[in-house]
Amino acid sequence: MIPFNKPPVVGGEEENIRDAIRSNKICGDGKYTKLCSKWIEEHTGTRKALLTTSCTHATEMAALLLDIKEGDEVIMPSFTFVSTADAFVLRGAKAVFVDIRPDTMNIDETLIEDAITDRTRAIVPVHYAGVACEMDTIMDIAKKHDLKVVEDAAQGIMSTYKGRALGTIGDFGCFSFHETKNLSMGEGGALLIRDSKFIENAEIIREKGTNRSKFFRGEIDKYTWVAPGSSYLPSELNAAYLYAQFEKAQKIYDDRMRSWDMYYELLSPLKDEGHIELPVIPKGGCIHNAHMFYIKAKDLEERTKLIKFLKENGIGAVFHYVPLHSAPAGMNCGRFHGQDNYTTRESNRLVRLPLYYGLKDKEIEYVISKVKEFYINK
Ligand SMILES: Cc1ncc(COP(=O)(O)O)c(C=O)c1O
């Protein structure tokens, strides 16, 4: 059986967790949380990174910091994970869905401006598969219309756009360290903050509405409740796990990239024969992180048969996402602006193949042989 995903384990995780236990501090913001935040700041160049309990929570924090309210509108793709919308809808905003580009599956930047109304507050580009959205255009639109940009970079750690790390280009960036992501802590995430004016409020929101972060730094002699907040800081145990992964981040990246390249090369003949489509990495400054390898079948029927065939042969291949505008909550809390030319059609065709740290060449060759067999016998 070749599963769809295996959480990365690179060595060092158990030692770090034991070290955290021995230090008598397993709640948040201890040694490992600080090391992780510093690593993110150094490796992305962001002004401030706050480790969070998930990417969903990092996005919720961004919505709180932007004071998103009932009646506001937030522009995003419908082809995304529910959290992109949840964070804003929880604050009473309407999700305004815009169609995607069929090449990258990212929001079509040329359609955003038309979706802007006098209620629009923010744009949320999602860097699908760790491949950058067209950020120059998106940032220009945001500037022109005085909107904020929250990058859903859940899948984007170690990817860049024109030399800048994903998550650092918009006002806020949100990473995920869920077990399916390149670097993991089980459940977890990070909020990246570009403008220092938001840092103090972000620390307060993350610490139950208190100024405890300032107190721990010795900047005040007691802490108190200063604003509404929540609890968005992860345990040191999770941070200890993540830090082991950060220390081997390049090894994980190289390993995944090798698998990605191998899939791409060995599946290219099927693409050239017109059976499938392969991921597109736009030229002009998009460096991806091998987060995901997907192929596109002809249509939903062919995809369903392919996933079934792979499953029968012990291969875990999956599809996603059910477009949010067609989901019950999406119908209630959002609307699709313009034509759905690609969102439904392309999401119906997409199949994700197994890709994780430690996937062996032999396993990739087996997956490819089965995909080929499916198309030969079709
Ligand atoms: C695009 C996108 N946004 C947000 C999330 C949510 O991340 P988390 O599980 O860390 O909350 C995910 C998780 O898979 C995702 O793929």
Side-chain angles (χ1 to χ4, degrees):
M1 176 71 195
I2 303 175
F4 166 67
N5 180 59
K6 276 189 196 170
V9 185
V10 285
E13 291 89 349
E14 288 179 33
E15 290 77 358
N16 285 0
I17 289 171
R18 256 187 245 119
D19 182 44
I21 293 169
R22 278 196 297 264
S23 76
N24 286 329
K25 180 157 174 84
I26 58 169
C27 66
D29 279 345
K31 169 179 149 185
Y32 285 102
T33 304
K34 289 191 185 109
L35 283 170
C36 287
S37 306
K38 191 159 165 270
W39 188 95
I40 297 171
E41 285 161 11
E42 284 174 3
H43 284 78
T44 65
T46 186
R47 188 149 295 137
K48 183 78 182 171
L50 293 174
L51 214 58
T52 59
T53 29
S54 64
C55 177
T56 308
H57 281 169
T59 318
E60 271 182 44
M61 283 182 68
L64 283 162
L65 287 162
L66 294 177
D67 197 22
I68 297 292
K69 289 201 190 67
E70 181 95 37
D72 289 345
E73 292 183 354
V74 178
I75 295 173
M76 63 187 72
S78 170
F79 179 74
T80 183
F81 191 60
V82 292
S83 304
T84 317
D86 265 334
F88 298 94
V89 162
L90 261 181
R91 310 251 67 78
K94 195 165 221 38
V96 176
F97 301 116
V98 165
D99 208 7
I100 51 166
R101 299 164 38 149
D103 57 350
T104 56
M105 307 296 283
N106 284 336
I107 192 165
D108 184 336
E109 67 281 358
T110 65
L111 302 176
I112 293 174
E113 205 158 9
D114 195 53
I116 296 172
T117 69
D118 54 7
R119 294 173 167 233
T120 309
R121 297 282 317 285
I123 305 168
V124 190
V126 178
H127 303 296
Y128 183 68
V131 178
C133 295
E134 192 38 60
M135 289 308 290
D136 278 351
T137 309
I138 293 172
M139 294 310 291
D140 285 349
I141 295 169
K143 198 168 168 204
K144 183 171 156 197
H145 295 273
D146 194 22
L147 304 175
K148 297 291 182 196
V149 174
V150 179
E151 292 178 71
D152 183 333
Q155 305 171 6
I157 190 131
M158 297 179 83
S159 292
T160 55
Y161 172 80
K162 299 187 180 173
R164 297 165 75 187
L166 299 192
T168 66
I169 304 163
D171 298 270
F172 299 102
C174 307
F175 282 154
S176 173
F177 302 120
H178 181 260
E179 72 163 28
T180 51
K181 301 303 184 290
N182 291 21
L183 306 175
S184 179
M185 58 198 281
E187 298 274 1
L191 177 68
L192 278 60
I193 303 171
R194 199 188 63 200
D195 187 339
S196 48
K197 78 171 185 221
F198 288 111
I199 295 175
E200 189 173 339
N201 275 351
E203 287 181 341
I204 289 168
I205 288 169
R206 180 170 169 271
E207 261 286 22
K208 299 101 183 162
T210 72
N211 50 4
R212 191 150 72 165
S213 299
K214 268 186 156 177
F215 171 70
F216 283 144
R217 283 196 296 269
E219 293 165 21
I220 46 176
D221 58 9
K222 62 176 185 315
Y223 74 86
T224 185
W225 185 31
V226 289
S230 191
S231 182
Y232 292 124
L233 67 164
S235 144
E236 271 290 284
L237 301 177
N238 298 59
Y241 189 102
L242 182 64
Y243 192 62
Q245 311 246 314
F246 280 178
E247 287 191 299
K248 306 257 176 68
Q250 193 59 45
K251 190 176 174 199
I252 297 175
Y253 179 96
D254 293 343
D255 182 80
R256 295 185 74 105
M257 196 57 82
R258 223 174 66 82
S259 298
W260 198 99
D261 287 343
M262 193 168 162
Y263 269 130
Y264 195 93
E265 192 189 327
L266 298 181
L267 284 169
S268 286
L270 270 189
K271 170 184 157 236
D272 297 341
E273 287 158 22
H275 290 298
I276 58 169
E277 284 173 34
L278 296 179
V280 173
I281 313 296
K283 300 224 170 3
C286 289
I287 297 183
H288 75 108
N289 59 359
H291 173 60
M292 184 190 303
F293 197 90
Y294 64 82
I295 62 175
K296 285 187 191 166
K298 183 163 65 74
D299 53 24
L300 179 60
E301 193 190 339
E302 185 178 286
R303 178 183 76 178
T304 308
K305 286 186 189 154
L306 174 60
I307 290 178
K308 183 167 172 277
F309 177 77
L310 294 175
K311 192 173 171 203
E312 283 162 4
N313 285 282
I315 297 164
V318 300
F319 67 85
H320 74 177
Y321 304 99
V322 174
L324 297 187
H325 73 283
S326 62
M331 288 184 213
N332 266 337
C333 311
R335 67 179 160 79
F336 199 97
H337 180 85
Q339 286 287 325
D340 170 9
N341 287 325
Y342 297 113
T343 299
T344 302
R345 196 184 86 182
E346 298 301 302
S347 66
N348 277 340
R349 302 166 57 210
L350 190 136
V351 186
R352 296 177 65 181
L353 300 178
L355 178 56
Y356 47 83
Y357 173 75
L359 184 63
K360 296 184 181 67
D361 286 4
K362 268 201 312 221
E363 292 169 326
I364 297 173
E365 280 161 7
Y366 176 70
V367 175
I368 290 167
S369 73
K370 289 296 158 190
V371 174
K372 286 187 169 162
E373 192 180 316
F374 175 81
Y375 280 102
I376 286 162
N377 296 328
K378 204 165 65 75

